[in-house]
């Protein structure tokens, strides 16, 4: 590359610049957040190198970012003492898009969302062009042999790289502000933006003689001196979210290990519009150096929805990303943090049931999944589990359920459904309702997987109520039927004829009270549910039909069949009873056939003689 030659941006880069400069208008101030975060990253990068390598340029340089405003020239200059960039790095880092698909992603968002997300897509630097029509970057790399270089671009199709001089290691970015962005050439304005977006950057940001941010990392401050609003601000700057966190865990101790952690339970499982898979959003620091931005080892996988910062001086000096995994200190940190988070969750449940319900609604499935994938954590997780039940709208623990069990009840009962309203209407509950017994209502996909591992609590087995062999404790009023044997037989034959091989038998039920029909399992239906989910099998599972011989729909079917064994309406009713029971169980469903059938039935209903 000859000096001062204009290098064309690749097409994608050009389009990206265009999108950014034209869409971030209402959010222009975020350029500062992005440039400051790059400067802080660069300072962290050189600190990280220095953990193991002393041969860096200006090894004793203090970490700092300074901002200078020249109102006459209409420029803002941001200098840092970070890693700097070599000439090649300038061309590479500021001339290409690191992540593929970035442009498509940004295009798919509306302008309001772009501002929040620009930093997460590895294109934060280019937000400079939202306020500047010319940007120069002069940089001196930490590598002792590298020469300083300058990158310059006027926001159009090309950039220029030339030799430069810079006394010390670091980077200086000069923004030549656009006419309509002069407002940013103001100390007051910049200070305000820093308070809003960059207050907790753990590096001093200087404007003139003043340090304008909180350089003392919040997680290292004594928890009792921190105000709630500081936690919220920190959380919002960390996560780019607008909500308050659901809960905050702040722990700062020197013994038995040095551990400073500031962790948050986010308000929502998913972030904003973009589904971001949550996995280990914990930033790990040691000796004020960010070791790893997304640390999975700080908490068990079932707490991976937590976000925050963990800082320990006790991690080995040469801690590398690989070493974090095997480190004994890390294992202790994980243990300490896990019990603190569990305590926080328990406190929330005890003091603020409403908030806890919101928490469980968002994050309950992580715990259920935890039991399924990490059986060794079962004892830890079990007390945290909460369930909706058939008798109470409040969430219940398994222990609390057990205290409410009938004296002669030996098992914990449950039903599966696809949603809570269906579960509450489950025909399998008829029998327990009649006896005043409570059942758990399971509606999450992961529930059958979890149940395979829970199996028994305090010696009480868990039992699916669709099991025809369940023996319920207590008396139940005797079932009275108006049907004679011939009618019973007609019903049984009718079901067999209509449903044929789709069912595995028909019988009059001993337990149904309010519902006309239920489908009972012929084998472990939880296993079958799991298999069907894994294999994405949407065909109807084979079940045995139990009908309620006292139910008016069934007696009505009986008299029609007694009159004519091939009665079309009776056949449609049988089909629909079967489909309705499947619907409540959350198994197969054929909407097209159901709509057709309902039309037949409605036709019959409106044709009935007027009263
Ligand atoms: P990201 O920060 O997500 O990587 P950016 O567009 O903000 O994306 O920055 C692009 C790259 O430019 C950075 O990854 C870094 O390598 C380099 N860079 C930007 N600013 C600086 C700086 N002040 N010092 C050193 N390198 C920088
Ligand atoms: Mg960046």
């Amino acid at each position: 590359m000859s000096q001062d030659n204009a290098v064309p941006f690749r097409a994608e880069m050009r389009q990206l610049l265009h999108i950014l400069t034209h869409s971030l208008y209402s959010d222009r101030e975020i350029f500062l957040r992005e440039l400051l975060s790059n400067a802080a990253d660069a300072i962290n990068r050189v600190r990280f190198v220095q953990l193991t390598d002393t041969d860096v340029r200006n090894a004793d340089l203090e970490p700092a970012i300074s901002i200078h405003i020249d109102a006459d020239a209409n420029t803002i200059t941001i200098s840092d003492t970070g890693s700097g960039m070599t000439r090649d790095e300038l061309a590479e880092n500021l001339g290409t898009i690191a992540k593929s698909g970035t442009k498509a992603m940004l295009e798919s968002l509306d302008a309001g969302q772009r501002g929040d997300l620009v930093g997460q897509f590895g294109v934060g630097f280019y937000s400079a062009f939202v306020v500047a029509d010319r940007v120069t970057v002069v940089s001196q790399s930490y590598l002792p042999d590298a020469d300083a270089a300058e990158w310059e671009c006027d926001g159009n199709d090309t950039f220029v790289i030339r030799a430069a001089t810079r006394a010390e290691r670091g980077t200086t970015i000069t923004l030549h502000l656009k006419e309509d962005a002069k407002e940013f050439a103001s100390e007051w304005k910049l200070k305000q933006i820093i308070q809003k977006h960059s207050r907790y950057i753990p590096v001093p940001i200087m404007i003139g003689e003043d340090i304008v941010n909180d350089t003392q990392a919040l997680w290292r401050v004594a928890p009792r001196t921190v105000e709630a609003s500081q936690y919220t601000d920190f959380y919002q700057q960390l996560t780019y979210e607008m909500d308050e966190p659901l809960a905050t865990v702040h722990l700062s101790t020197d013994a038995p290990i040095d551990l400073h952690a500031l962790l948050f339970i986010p308000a929502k499982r998913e972030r904003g519009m973009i589904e971001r898979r949550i996995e280990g959003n914990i930033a790990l620091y040691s000796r004020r150096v960010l070791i790893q931005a997304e640390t999975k080892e700080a908490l068990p996988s079932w707490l991976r929805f937590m976000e925050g910062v963990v800082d320990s001086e006790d991690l080995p000096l040469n801690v590398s990303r690989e070493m974090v995994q095997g480190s004994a200190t890390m294992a202790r940190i994980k243990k300490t943090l896990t019990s603190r988070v569990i305590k926080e969750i328990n406190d929330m449940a005890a003091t603020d049931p409403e908030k806890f319900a919101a928490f469980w609604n968002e994050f309950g499935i992580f715990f259920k999944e935890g039991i399924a994938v990490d059986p060794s954590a079962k004892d830890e997780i079990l007390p945290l589990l909460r369930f909706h039940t058939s008798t109470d709208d409040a969430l219940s623990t398994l222990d609390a359920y057990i205290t409410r069990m009938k004296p002669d009840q030996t098992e914990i009962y449950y039903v599966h459904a696809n949603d809570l309203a269906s579960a509450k209407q489950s025909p399998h509950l008829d029998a327990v309702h009649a006896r005043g017994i409570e059942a758990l209502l399971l509606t999450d996909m992961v529930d059958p997987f979890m149940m395979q591992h829970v199996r028994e609590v305090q010696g009480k087995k868990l039992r699916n109520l669709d099991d025809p062999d369940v023996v319920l404790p207590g008396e139940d009023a005797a079932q009275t039927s108006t049907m004679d044997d011939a009618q019973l037989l007609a019903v049984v034959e009718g079901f067999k004829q209509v449903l044929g091989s789709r069912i595995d038998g028909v019988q009059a039920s001993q337990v149904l009270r309010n519902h006309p029909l239920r489908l009972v399992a012929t084998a472990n239906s939880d296993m079958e549910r799991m298999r069907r989910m894994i294999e994405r099998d949407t065909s109807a599972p084979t079940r045995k039909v139990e009908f309620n011989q006292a139910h008016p729909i069934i007696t009505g079917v009986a008299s029609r069949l007694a009159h004519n064994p091939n009665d079309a309406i009776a056949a449609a009713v049988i089909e629909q009873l079967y489909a309705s029971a499947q619907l409540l169980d959350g198994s197969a469903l054929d909407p097209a056939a159901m709509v057709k059938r309902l039309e037949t039935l409605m036709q019959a209903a409106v044709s009935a003689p007027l009263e």
Side-chain angles (χ1 to χ4, degrees):
M1 194 193 299
S2 70
Q3 284 210 8
D4 243 335
N5 258 3
V7 185
F9 282 120
R10 290 219 302 267
E12 190 183 8
M13 187 65 227
R14 278 206 304 275
Q15 291 158 345
L16 184 93
L17 267 178
H18 185 84
I19 298 175
L20 284 179
T21 48
H22 288 82
S23 67
L24 290 179
Y25 197 84
S26 60
D27 239 353
R28 291 197 296 178
E29 63 186 33
I30 59 113
F31 82 89
L32 191 60
R33 174 187 79 193
E34 296 305 325
L35 297 180
L36 292 174
S37 111
N38 285 349
D41 287 351
I43 287 168
N44 189 69
R45 206 172 305 130
V46 73
R47 279 171 165 171
F48 190 78
V49 170
Q50 283 186 290
L51 289 177
T52 49
D53 183 356
T54 47
D55 192 19
V56 309
R57 188 189 295 270
N58 310 120
D60 298 330
L61 208 52
E62 287 293 325
I65 303 171
S66 39
I67 302 178
H68 179 77
I69 295 171
D70 184 335
D72 294 334
N74 205 22
T75 59
I76 301 175
T77 306
I78 301 170
S79 297
D80 65 63
T81 56
S83 60
M85 285 175 272
T86 63
R87 185 187 181 117
D88 286 350
E89 284 169 339
L90 278 169
E92 175 65 25
N93 298 341
L94 307 183
T96 54
I97 303 176
K99 295 174 198 153
S100 65
T102 301
K103 185 183 70 101
M105 194 77 220
L106 276 172
E107 269 171 342
S108 73
L109 301 171
D110 66 45
Q113 297 161 345
R114 283 181 193 143
D116 277 348
L117 294 166
V118 57
Q120 295 177 27
F121 288 136
V123 292
F125 171 78
Y126 303 104
S127 62
F129 291 99
V130 178
V131 294
D133 47 23
R134 186 153 63 91
V135 176
T136 61
V137 180
V138 177
S139 200
Q140 172 68 272
S141 165
Y142 73 92
L143 294 167
D145 297 335
D147 294 323
E150 176 176 317
W151 178 99
E152 178 167 11
C153 175
D154 59 7
N156 289 313
D157 295 353
T158 57
F159 62 87
V160 172
I161 295 207
R162 56 175 83 92
T165 48
R166 195 180 190 283
E168 290 178 320
R169 184 194 74 215
T171 301
T172 301
I173 299 181
T174 304
L175 309 176
H176 299 264
L177 294 173
K178 293 178 181 175
E179 267 309 301
D180 64 2
K182 279 187 166 158
E183 57 181 303
F184 294 106
S186 139
E187 281 194 11
W188 175 84
K189 177 93 184 164
L190 296 189
K191 281 179 184 170
Q192 199 192 23
I193 301 173
I194 290 167
Q195 279 304 311
K196 183 161 164 205
H197 293 296
S198 310
R199 181 168 163 196
Y200 297 105
I201 284 194
V203 176
I205 303 172
M206 319 279 303
I207 297 187
E209 297 293 297
D210 306 335
I211 297 180
V212 296
N213 61 327
D214 292 6
T215 52
Q216 165 79 301
L218 191 63
W219 59 87
R220 287 194 159 267
V221 176
R224 71 193 135 70
T225 65
V226 183
E227 283 168 33
S229 65
Q230 285 179 284
Y231 287 135
T232 302
D233 287 351
F234 181 88
Y235 169 77
Q236 290 172 344
Q237 291 184 15
L238 181 83
T239 61
Y240 300 108
E241 292 203 47
M242 316 288 233
D243 294 334
E244 288 196 9
L246 263 186
T248 303
V249 173
H250 186 188
L251 157 153
S252 188
T253 64
D254 303 332
I257 36 173
D258 180 88
L259 177 58
H260 309 270
L262 183 47
L263 304 176
F264 299 97
I265 300 178
K268 291 271 178 302
R269 181 168 60 214
E270 300 297 349
R271 276 198 176 170
M273 297 297 293
I274 299 196
E275 292 232 335
R276 211 190 125 170
R277 226 163 75 88
I278 297 178
E279 204 165 298
N281 283 319
I282 303 286
L284 180 68
Y285 284 78
S286 181
R287 295 176 188 76
R288 313 189 61 215
V289 181
L290 176 67
I291 304 292
Q292 189 170 280
E294 296 187 358
T295 305
K296 296 196 182 108
E297 294 79 8
L299 286 169
S301 70
W302 43 275
L303 290 176
R304 69 185 181 281
F305 55 85
M306 301 289 299
E307 305 217 39
V309 175
V310 172
D311 183 350
S312 173
E313 310 259 305
D314 289 346
L315 288 164
L317 187 62
N318 63 344
V319 66
S320 63
R321 284 157 198 165
E322 298 75 47
M323 277 207 51
V324 169
Q325 220 160 359
S327 142
T329 312
M330 204 60 218
R332 290 185 67 187
I333 290 174
K334 179 173 173 177
K335 204 161 171 243
T336 309
L337 294 179
T338 304
S339 57
R340 271 295 274 115
V341 172
I342 289 177
K343 182 181 175 307
E344 187 66 29
I345 293 171
N346 284 332
D347 288 353
M348 195 202 301
T351 59
D352 194 342
E354 209 168 296
K355 194 179 197 181
F356 181 86
F359 162 76
W360 190 254
N361 191 32
E362 291 292 324
F363 302 107
I365 54 166
F366 286 86
F367 298 84
K368 295 174 170 190
E369 181 211 87
I371 291 208
V373 302
D374 182 8
S376 69
K378 182 175 150 186
D379 292 343
E380 212 164 12
I381 301 177
L382 264 188
L384 293 167
L385 292 184
R386 293 295 190 284
F387 296 88
H388 288 282
T389 81
S390 57
T391 56
D392 197 346
D393 279 339
L395 288 165
S396 176
T397 61
L398 287 168
D399 287 348
Y401 173 99
I402 289 170
T403 63
R404 292 190 298 267
M405 278 171 51
K406 295 280 162 198
D408 47 354
Q409 183 183 343
T410 54
E411 295 178 316
I412 297 171
Y413 302 114
Y414 63 92
V415 294
H416 285 293
N418 279 354
D419 59 90
L420 204 53
S422 301
K424 285 182 178 164
Q425 275 211 46
S426 172
H428 307 296
L429 294 176
D430 274 10
V432 290
H433 281 324
R435 292 169 172 80
I437 297 173
E438 186 173 13
L440 309 177
L441 310 178
L442 305 183
T443 57
D444 280 329
M445 299 256 277
V446 59
D447 285 336
F449 297 88
M450 169 187 70
M451 281 319 213
Q452 285 310 302
H453 294 279
V454 177
R455 285 177 182 277
E456 205 176 293
V457 181
Q458 294 184 31
K460 316 271 188 285
K461 286 209 166 50
L462 282 108
R463 186 79 101 124
N464 191 333
L465 284 173
D466 77 351
D467 181 342
D469 300 330
V470 175
V471 181
L472 294 169
E475 289 294 310
D476 179 17
Q479 181 75 309
T480 50
S481 171
T482 53
M483 277 195 234
D484 58 28
D485 285 354
Q487 281 176 317
L488 272 179
L489 196 65
V491 172
V492 171
E493 283 309 313
F495 271 99
K496 282 188 178 160
Q497 199 181 328
V498 174
L499 299 173
S501 62
R502 287 180 284 166
I503 54 169
D504 190 19
V506 187
Q507 65 185 47
S509 176
Q510 302 304 311
V511 300
L512 283 174
R513 290 294 171 270
N514 304 317
H515 289 78
L517 181 134
R518 70 173 189 146
L519 299 171
V520 298
T522 49
N524 181 333
S525 69
D526 281 44
M527 290 286 253
E528 183 195 59
R529 235 168 225 279
M530 283 163 35
R531 181 195 59 75
R532 289 161 56 78
M533 247 181 258
I534 292 166
E535 294 174 6
R536 296 176 193 278
D537 178 356
T538 53
S539 67
T542 308
R543 292 280 188 272
K544 185 179 257 183
V545 166
E546 267 189 18
F547 62 86
N548 179 353
Q549 49 182 318
H551 196 283
I553 297 180
I554 300 293
T555 53
V557 165
S559 26
R560 293 191 80 101
L561 290 174
H563 183 69
N564 171 12
N566 297 316
D567 183 76
I569 290 177
V573 170
I574 286 172
E575 278 285 359
Q576 186 54 43
L577 286 170
Y578 174 66
S580 298
Q582 285 181 332
L583 201 52
L584 290 177
D585 282 352
S587 53
L589 172 66
D590 181 352
M594 185 181 294
V595 167
K596 212 77 232 105
R597 188 164 55 242
L598 287 174
E599 281 172 5
T600 307
L601 290 170
M602 288 187 282
Q603 182 65 56
V606 294
S607 313
L610 294 171
E611 285 168 21

